[in-house]
Amino acid sequence: MNNENNLLPSLIRKVSQMENTFREFIDINNEGLYSVSEFSKLTGLDDDTVTNYCKRQSLAAVQVIKGGKWMILRSEFKRLVTEAIENNQGKLRSTARRDAKILNHLGISK
């Protein structure tokens, strides 16, 4: 009986975490998501680059299952393109290669 009492709080926490994850997934899914390959095709960035951005949290992305595929919020495409245009005008060097690649891929001249 004592062992069961110790397990109950842990189970309650786990169920609560699962509920929160599910709610976040539903909220995110309402916005829409891109897979890494879809995002790569849109931006012209390599799959590995996009995955690294997800891991570093440079892109708003989620893994539904830990260690699983990354899914990127659709709003991130617009944010990245807007940022690339603004950075290009200000000649921000830290993202110059990335921004040039995105703008060239989209046919937006400097």
Side-chain angles (χ1 to χ4, degrees):
M1 185 74 169
N2 191 20
N3 202 15
E4 288 177 16
N5 289 340
N6 293 337
L7 234 122
L8 189 58
S10 176
L11 282 172
I12 290 171
R13 272 194 308 279
K14 293 271 186 204
V15 168
S16 179
Q17 289 171 345
M18 289 170 62
E19 286 176 341
N20 289 337
T21 301
F22 184 71
R23 279 193 194 99
E24 287 175 21
F25 177 73
I26 295 299
D27 291 342
I28 289 168
N29 206 28
N30 286 336
E31 179 183 349
L33 302 168
Y34 289 121
S35 68
V36 167
S37 64
E38 290 171 327
F39 199 82
S40 294
K41 287 175 188 168
L42 284 171
T43 60
L45 299 172
D46 295 331
D47 285 6
D48 289 341
T49 301
V50 173
T51 300
N52 286 333
Y53 286 164
C54 293
K55 289 177 183 176
R56 291 188 335 215
Q57 298 178 347
S58 298
L59 289 173
V62 294
Q63 284 180 306
V64 178
I65 298 171
K66 186 174 180 163
K69 295 180 181 181
W70 286 99
M71 300 301 290
I72 303 142
L73 272 65
R74 288 188 179 271
S75 59
E76 287 298 276
F77 175 69
K78 182 178 180 183
R79 183 188 66 80
L80 211 61
V81 172
T82 301
E83 193 175 279
I85 292 168
E86 290 171 356
N87 290 345
N88 189 50
Q89 291 168 351
K91 303 296 183 204
L92 184 65
R93 299 187 68 69
S94 64
T95 60
R97 287 183 61 213
R98 180 203 73 189
D99 297 340
K101 192 166 191 171
I102 293 169
L103 295 176
N104 288 337
H105 181 75
L106 296 173
I108 300 171
S109 59
K110 296 181 179 183

